[in-house]
Amino acid sequence: MLSFRILLGINIVFLFTGILSDGLFAQGACSIVGELVNSETNQPVPYCAIQIEDGISGSMSNESGMFKITAPCAKHVKLVFSSLSFEELDTIIFVNREERIFIKLKPTSLSLPDIKVIANVNSDLYSSYKIKQTAIQHIQPSGLSDLLQLLPGNLIEEPDLSQPNYISIRQVDSDNNTAIGTSIVIDGIPISDDGNMQQPYGTDISISQNTSTANGLDLRQFSTDEIESVEVITGIPSAKYGDLTSGVVVIQRKEGVSPLEVRAKTDINNKLLAIGKGIALPKKGGVLNIGFDYLNYVSDPRNSLNNYQRITSSLRHKRKFIIDNKTLTTKIGVSLINTLDKEKEDPEINSGVNDLFNSDYKKISASLQAAYYANSKWLDKLAFNFSASQTQDKIVRDKFIALNGPTPQPISTTEGVSKGIYLPSQYQADLQIEGKPVDVFVNIEFSKKLYTKGMSHLLNLGGSYTSVKNNGKGETYDSSRPPFVGTLTGRPRDFRSIPALQKMFYYAEDKIMLALGNWEFTNQIGVRSNQLINLSEDYSIKGKIYIDPRLNLNIKLPEIKWINNGLNIWVGAGYGNHTKLPMSYLMYTYPVYIDIIELNYFSQNPDLRTLYTRTYIMDRTNYALKPSRNKKKELSLRIEWNNFKLKSTVFHERSTSGYSSNDNYYALIYNKYDASSVSSEGLTEPPGLNEFTFEKDTGFYYIDIDNNAALVDKKGVEYSIEFPKINPLKTNISINGAWFKTEYGTSELVQSRPSVILNNEEYPYVGVYNIGGLKKGQFNSNVRFDTHIPLLRLIYTINAQLIWYSDYERTYRLEHPVFYFDKKGQQYPYLEGDEQDYVLRHLNRSYSSIFYQKQTIPFSMDLHMKMTKEIGDRIKIAFYVNRFLGYYTPYTSNNGKYYQRSTNSAFGPQSPYFGAEIKYKIK
């Protein structure tokens, strides 16, 4: 692949070519005045967004459908018209004076001749796919994760809202760092989860499986009914997008006038109701969009005690002002999200025991956006974005604790020796975790377009600031009835004591377009800085700035005439660094309390019992923690000929500094008191600690420390193909898919201690190992047959999901430790022959030859169907069936086990899944 230096050299050549050819200058401005009408009724189309493709000039039609927009003189410009309930239209005109145009927009309908329900390739510069409104409606989604199934390489799956949904990009399976490193941007505002602290230090499956702390954004909370389009950038994004390592999901919500729409959906697990409307306000008051959505998900229809509910609503106002012949557009929005995730055991079948998990998430957001189109000598566009949100995230965990008799329980919150208590053999524990993050985002961007002979420069300069402060009460519970019992525990923690996490970003970018004869070059070079501020001197990243250079190059070759049609070819290359700064949960970690029982004097007489523990408070914070960083490279090829389209991208991404945690062992000293040295005869009160004999002892104890050890290496080829329409069958055939090779591992050695007892003592050494990793591969294709019959206002899709093969293999790991250490911290190399030593042999790990063999799972196929039908102009019905037919090749695993892979068997498919919906418009 092209290196960073080669791409940088090409950019420098571009820049100086432009400067030397008469230098840079601002183009003279001309006006385009136009009128927009409905192609069927000839009525005006108010509040339609009009944009010149470069993104610098923009406008909005007034209540009479009239608009005016500024464009460079003596240039061909591409105008894009987008309005709710109308098909997006783009047209190219030559501007040489004040141009007047008349535009007819077609209402969105399945009666139109050309309807696309696939993810469209959205950019020549970088890998990007756009999912528009028609495709969104045809998918019949319950949440954002459903839309991402259209991306090359992704597989069709029914929604599982019983636990958080995370995004995966360009990989087999998924991992936390990809989800953490994917930015979701809604109407120009990035959504942050940096203040999420809801995961306590303790083991509880209900909490760990249902909270998204340090795992990425939970896609379940994003409703789709108010979404106009979704762009997913899997390649190297513009420098204006940051605090990410994997990709960007850009969501544009609906703007404009639209009738009242009511959508109701049902499937095996889901019930959904959504309402939306766009209202033109009187007296040039702009347009107001209103949306509401309610979803109820039950993982098992036979058990309504475990369910997930979501309520979202939003108000969004857009208005245009004319100030001294300059255009100012403003957007004001308020959004509310409320989700309730509940698991409960039925007391009638659980012996009357109350076992409950309840997560109540509420978030209210407000935003203000303004774009001023100055079109002056030094500035074309000034954009300002501001948002603030308040989240209230409350977890209630009531659980029944059953112990093997009275159990010692330390309760000290300070280090040293202290008295403990005895827990009853059974009790009810009540845990509450309250988080209240307040997020603030501010961004300002300056844009200017400059020209030279044959070349244009689109310059963007900007800066962003984010802040999050958690004002929640944190963990609260009765220490005498703790939810977690053991040597390693936490204590109640108040989130209000945690400092605000503040980040600062700056970026600069130049998009260069150059025409040399019939060759067209488009090049984007940008740089972005990333910095955490407001840190104490303890952190090694204090004051450090992390720089992300990003380059994208695209070349359009001269058109070739072939069989009476023009063959167009584009080739592209990209390189970029990407940085995700740490979240609050990683920067301000839970302290761990290691409680060592020094004396447990247990008597049948409760009045004589006494318990003493030594408490060590271990700071888990890794003050050397760095940002997670990812390096991306890609090469692309795009071909278009006679309505045949092909786009293929070869990519390689590698991150060796992702966020993970490993166990670290510490040797801690304590006194081991002999409880038998004091007789209970004649005692009337608990004996004092000084009455017992003791000896010094040292034990190994571990805590997990967050680090930058996660390794994620992604290689692959993405492809999408569109064939010319088969007119007699009214069918479009398209194929997309990918070959992925993904490696997961760790870039650091890990510590482990055998759980064996030698001579009635714990094992005296800790081994330090290279544990290797796991490589996974997959090659899949989705073959779609989209049949659209305009006369019947119907479209139906048959999708053949073909997984040609998938495989996995473990990378080599040493069976013996690299070295080991004792309780004094002394390190020793593991030498040849140590595996025969009576003590040291326990450090050796043996694996069979099957352990390293690659396991390949052969071909499988699933057929899926979707149908959408309009009944008049008001009613639309749709249904889908996933896996109505399939074939799954049997295979034998490396250990000799035969898998038939019949329906609902292990490693096999699931039963068909189906759903239906109806949408009604009230005009």
Side-chain angles (χ1 to χ4, degrees):
M1 290 191 178
L2 291 177
S3 69
F4 170 74
R5 292 181 180 179
I6 294 175
L7 287 175
L8 181 60
I10 294 173
N11 276 272
I12 294 173
V13 171
F14 273 28
L15 181 62
F16 279 95
T17 298
I19 293 175
L20 293 176
S21 60
D22 287 346
L24 298 172
F25 60 91
Q27 188 79 12
C30 292
S31 296
I32 303 173
V33 178
E35 181 180 359
L36 296 174
V37 297
N38 185 319
S39 64
E40 295 184 355
T41 65
N42 284 324
Q43 292 298 310
V45 178
Y47 306 111
C48 173
I50 304 104
Q51 194 81 30
I52 293 181
E53 192 179 41
D54 60 19
I56 290 296
S57 298
S59 186
M60 184 173 69
S61 61
N62 62 20
E63 64 277 3
S64 301
M66 303 298 295
F67 71 90
K68 182 177 182 180
I69 191 170
T70 302
C73 294
K75 292 286 182 183
H76 284 94
V77 297
K78 185 176 182 180
L79 291 176
V80 181
F81 301 87
S82 56
S83 179
L84 272 184
S85 304
F86 290 89
E87 287 293 301
E88 185 175 282
L89 174 70
D90 57 71
T91 183
I92 298 176
I93 65 172
F94 183 78
V95 182
N96 200 28
R97 51 185 173 79
E98 181 173 283
E99 303 291 338
R100 294 186 176 273
I101 60 176
F102 183 76
I103 300 293
K104 290 187 175 183
L105 296 181
K106 298 178 181 179
T108 302
S109 170
L110 293 182
S111 64
L112 296 177
D114 295 310
I115 296 291
K116 283 193 173 184
V117 289
I118 61 176
N120 298 311
V121 174
N122 193 52
S123 174
D124 295 329
L125 268 178
Y126 45 76
S127 297
S128 171
Y129 303 90
K130 192 167 188 177
I131 305 168
K132 297 184 179 181
Q133 179 63 209
T134 306
I136 293 174
Q137 293 182 8
H138 191 56
I139 293 171
Q140 306 162 50
S142 297
L144 183 59
S145 58
D146 294 338
L147 303 183
L148 303 180
Q149 297 174 9
L150 290 178
L151 300 182
N154 284 9
L155 303 179
I156 296 175
E157 298 175 343
E158 58 273 358
D160 179 9
L161 306 184
S162 62
Q163 57 189 8
N165 292 179
Y166 302 113
I167 195 169
S168 62
I169 293 180
R170 286 180 163 177
Q171 63 190 134
V172 185
D173 291 338
S174 60
D175 72 292
N176 290 350
N177 280 285
T178 295
I180 292 171
T182 300
S183 176
I184 297 180
V185 180
I186 300 179
D187 293 339
I189 306 296
I191 307 303
S192 171
D193 198 38
D194 284 349
N196 189 337
M197 302 285 292
Q198 295 300 104
Q199 178 64 53
Y201 192 87
T203 302
D204 188 282
I205 294 178
S206 293
I207 295 178
S208 60
Q209 288 186 346
N210 291 286
T211 58
S212 59
T213 306
N215 288 324
L217 287 165
D218 184 359
L219 301 183
R220 296 181 299 175
Q221 64 182 272
F222 299 103
S223 170
T224 59
D225 284 275
E226 286 303 299
I227 293 178
E228 179 66 22
S229 66
V230 177
E231 180 188 9
V232 183
I233 303 173
T234 60
I236 294 94
S238 164
K240 71 179 181 179
Y241 296 116
D243 207 20
L244 59 91
T245 54
S246 303
V248 189
V249 179
V250 182
I251 296 173
Q252 181 64 47
R253 290 188 293 185
K254 294 177 180 178
E255 296 176 355
V257 179
S258 66
L260 178 65
E261 293 183 341
V262 181
R263 174 185 175 230
K265 174 190 174 180
T266 182
D267 59 36
I268 296 175
N269 302 110
N270 276 303
K271 300 294 182 289
L272 184 148
L273 176 67
I275 303 172
K277 182 173 176 56
I279 305 169
L281 300 180
K283 298 181 180 180
K284 300 180 180 181
V287 61
L288 178 68
N289 288 93
I290 304 172
F292 169 83
D293 152 277
Y294 170 75
L295 175 141
N296 184 59
Y297 175 89
V298 180
S299 58
D300 185 346
R302 298 165 298 180
N303 180 10
S304 62
L305 295 177
N306 298 341
N307 70 332
Y308 174 84
Q309 295 175 300
R310 180 188 70 210
I311 299 174
T312 67
S313 58
S314 65
L315 290 172
R316 305 178 306 280
H317 176 259
K318 182 178 181 180
R319 189 175 182 183
K320 183 180 76 171
F321 301 88
I322 303 298
I323 304 174
D324 294 332
N325 291 322
K326 310 294 184 184
T327 300
L328 171 67
T329 61
T330 60
K331 299 179 185 179
I332 300 174
V334 178
S335 300
L336 173 66
I337 299 173
N338 183 195
T339 66
L340 183 63
D341 200 352
K342 183 175 66 174
E343 290 184 2
K344 186 177 181 180
E345 297 290 340
D346 190 344
E348 294 184 4
I349 61 176
N350 201 32
S351 303
V353 171
N354 184 32
D355 200 305
L356 167 73
F357 169 84
N358 191 85
S359 175
D360 189 359
Y361 177 93
K362 297 183 179 72
K363 181 178 181 179
I364 184 168
S365 307
S367 64
L368 169 64
Q369 298 168 271
Y372 179 63
Y373 298 92
N375 298 311
S376 66
K377 182 177 180 180
W378 302 106
L379 179 67
D380 283 334
K381 178 183 176 182
L382 171 63
F384 172 78
N385 291 342
F386 169 81
S387 73
S389 66
Q390 167 73 72
T391 301
Q392 180 173 313
D393 194 354
K394 188 173 184 178
I395 290 176
V396 176
R397 180 70 174 106
D398 295 340
K399 59 191 295 188
F400 179 73
I401 306 293
L403 305 171
N404 295 323
T407 301
Q409 173 63 27
I411 57 175
S412 175
T413 58
T414 59
E415 283 197 325
V417 178
S418 61
K419 273 194 171 185
I421 63 173
Y422 288 92
L423 299 175
S425 57
Q426 294 182 346
Y427 65 90
Q428 190 75 29
D430 300 314
L431 167 67
Q432 293 190 13
I433 308 174
E434 183 192 66
K436 289 185 175 181
V438 176
D439 288 271
V440 175
F441 168 78
V442 181
N443 180 80
I444 188 167
E445 181 178 275
F446 304 87
S447 302
K448 179 64 185 174
K449 195 160 190 177
L450 300 172
Y451 296 87
T452 64
K453 291 184 177 179
M455 181 184 292
S456 67
H457 294 263
L458 176 56
L459 304 175
N460 286 303
L461 300 173
S464 303
Y465 166 82
T466 67
S467 173
V468 58
K469 177 71 173 72
N470 198 320
N471 295 316
K473 296 178 181 178
E475 266 187 273
T476 56
Y477 58 86
D478 183 354
S479 296
S480 67
R481 297 293 184 268
F484 312 110
V485 180
T487 303
L488 303 175
T489 60
R491 298 289 193 271
R493 186 190 190 195
D494 194 330
F495 294 161
R496 290 170 291 190
S497 63
I498 300 173
L501 187 75
Q502 300 180 48
K503 302 178 180 179
M504 185 69 73
F505 309 95
Y506 297 99
Y507 58 91
E509 189 170 69
D510 185 10
K511 182 178 180 182
I512 307 167
M513 302 184 69
L514 171 65
L516 294 177
N518 293 324
W519 293 73
E520 295 179 9
F521 299 84
T522 304
N523 190 28
Q524 189 176 64
I525 177 170
V527 63
R528 183 180 181 92
S529 68
N530 309 268
Q531 184 181 16
L532 269 177
I533 58 178
N534 191 40
L535 290 177
S536 73
E537 299 291 341
D538 298 327
Y539 293 92
S540 63
I541 64 173
K542 177 180 173 58
K544 290 187 178 180
I545 299 175
Y546 296 86
I547 303 298
D548 291 343
R550 299 181 192 171
L551 305 173
N552 284 290
L553 171 66
N554 184 268
I555 303 173
K556 183 179 184 297
L557 280 62
E559 185 177 86
I560 302 171
K561 288 295 182 180
W562 187 44
I563 316 180
N564 299 322
N565 286 283
L567 174 65
N568 293 290
I569 301 175
W570 294 261
V571 293
Y575 174 94
N577 286 351
H578 308 78
T579 300
K580 172 62 182 177
L581 297 173
M583 304 81 73
S584 293
Y585 187 79
L586 300 178
M587 297 298 292
Y588 305 103
T589 57
Y590 280 83
V592 176
Y593 290 74
I594 299 179
D595 300 300
I596 306 172
I597 297 176
E598 293 195 333
L599 172 65
N600 180 9
Y601 188 78
F602 186 82
S603 173
Q604 294 303 319
N605 182 356
D607 294 333
L608 300 182
R609 297 171 186 172
T610 185
L611 173 70
Y612 282 89
T613 63
R614 181 178 295 273
T615 299
Y616 287 91
I617 302 177
M618 310 296 288
D619 186 358
R620 293 178 53 246
T621 303
N622 182 356
Y623 293 98
L625 192 71
K626 299 178 295 184
S628 172
R629 309 197 76 187
N630 187 27
K631 183 181 294 185
K632 289 187 177 186
K633 304 174 186 178
E634 65 178 33
L635 293 173
S636 64
L637 171 68
R638 179 181 166 200
I639 298 174
E640 292 188 4
W641 176 78
N642 192 26
N643 292 323
F644 170 86
K645 299 178 181 180
L646 179 147
K647 173 71 182 290
S648 181
T649 302
V650 182
F651 66 87
H652 182 205
E653 303 180 15
R654 183 172 179 82
S655 172
T656 59
S657 58
Y659 300 122
S660 65
S661 63
N662 289 326
D663 293 338
N664 286 251
Y665 281 81
Y666 298 89
L668 303 179
I669 300 173
Y670 63 97
N671 296 330
K672 183 188 291 184
Y673 288 88
D674 183 4
S676 64
S677 62
V678 174
S679 174
S680 61
E681 293 183 9
L683 291 179
T684 59
E685 61 181 12
L689 188 63
N690 56 359
E691 298 179 40
F692 295 87
T693 61
F694 71 91
E695 60 181 16
K696 292 285 185 180
D697 201 356
T698 303
F700 273 125
Y701 299 89
Y702 69 88
I703 62 173
D704 62 310
I705 302 292
D706 297 309
N707 55 34
N708 295 105
L711 181 149
V712 182
D713 189 277
K714 303 178 184 179
K715 299 175 183 177
V717 180
E718 298 172 327
Y719 60 91
S720 60
I721 304 171
E722 297 180 44
F723 294 95
K725 186 174 184 178
I726 304 174
N727 289 312
L729 300 178
K730 302 185 183 302
T731 298
N732 289 96
I733 300 177
S734 61
I735 303 174
N736 73 33
W739 171 79
F740 290 149
K741 195 69 174 181
T742 310
E743 179 181 357
Y744 302 104
T746 178
S747 56
E748 292 186 3
L749 301 175
V750 301
Q751 300 178 15
S752 180
R753 185 172 67 90
S755 56
V756 297
I757 302 296
L758 298 178
N759 300 323
N760 294 322
E761 297 285 345
E762 66 175 16
Y763 193 76
Y765 301 114
V766 173
V768 181
Y769 299 85
N770 176 2
I771 64 170
L774 184 65
K775 289 184 178 180
K776 296 186 176 183
Q778 179 179 285
F779 178 35
N780 83 295
S781 301
N782 287 308
V783 183
R784 293 175 58 101
F785 301 85
D786 296 315
T787 301
H788 175 218
I789 306 175
L791 183 63
L792 300 179
R793 302 178 73 164
L794 178 145
I795 183 168
Y796 66 89
T797 297
I798 300 294
N799 189 335
Q801 180 173 277
L802 312 174
I803 302 179
W804 301 103
Y805 75 88
S806 60
D807 61 47
Y808 65 89
E809 63 176 321
R810 295 177 177 87
T811 58
Y812 177 72
R813 60 182 67 186
L814 292 175
E815 295 188 350
H816 58 78
V818 178
F819 63 91
Y820 60 96
F821 60 89
D822 60 21
K823 294 179 179 180
K824 295 181 180 180
Q826 182 66 42
Q827 295 184 5
Y828 308 93
Y830 197 84
L831 303 175
E832 185 177 354
D834 283 347
E835 66 274 9
Q836 304 299 325
D837 183 87
Y838 172 73
V839 176
L840 297 179
R841 67 182 182 182
H842 294 286
L843 292 171
N844 203 54
R845 299 173 169 181
S846 59
Y847 304 98
S848 68
S849 58
I850 296 176
F851 186 81
Y852 293 108
Q853 290 180 8
K854 178 188 289 188
Q855 176 67 67
T856 299
I857 301 174
F859 174 81
S860 68
M861 178 187 70
D862 285 307
L863 293 182
H864 311 274
M865 180 177 65
K866 296 182 187 293
M867 188 278 289
T868 303
K869 171 76 171 75
E870 288 180 346
I871 303 174
D873 294 331
R874 294 174 180 261
I875 300 175
K876 181 182 290 185
I877 60 174
F879 75 89
Y880 69 93
V881 182
N882 287 349
R883 295 183 308 277
F884 70 87
L885 189 64
Y887 172 76
Y888 318 97
T889 306
Y891 71 98
T892 301
S893 67
N894 291 336
N895 61 10
K897 187 174 181 179
Y898 179 75
Y899 291 100
Q900 179 63 37
R901 297 212 289 171
S902 59
T903 301
N904 283 335
S905 67
F907 301 97
Q910 297 177 351
S911 301
Y913 190 92
F914 53 88
E917 68 172 53
I918 183 170
K919 178 179 282 190
Y920 185 72
K921 293 182 180 181
I922 304 175
K923 296 186 178 181

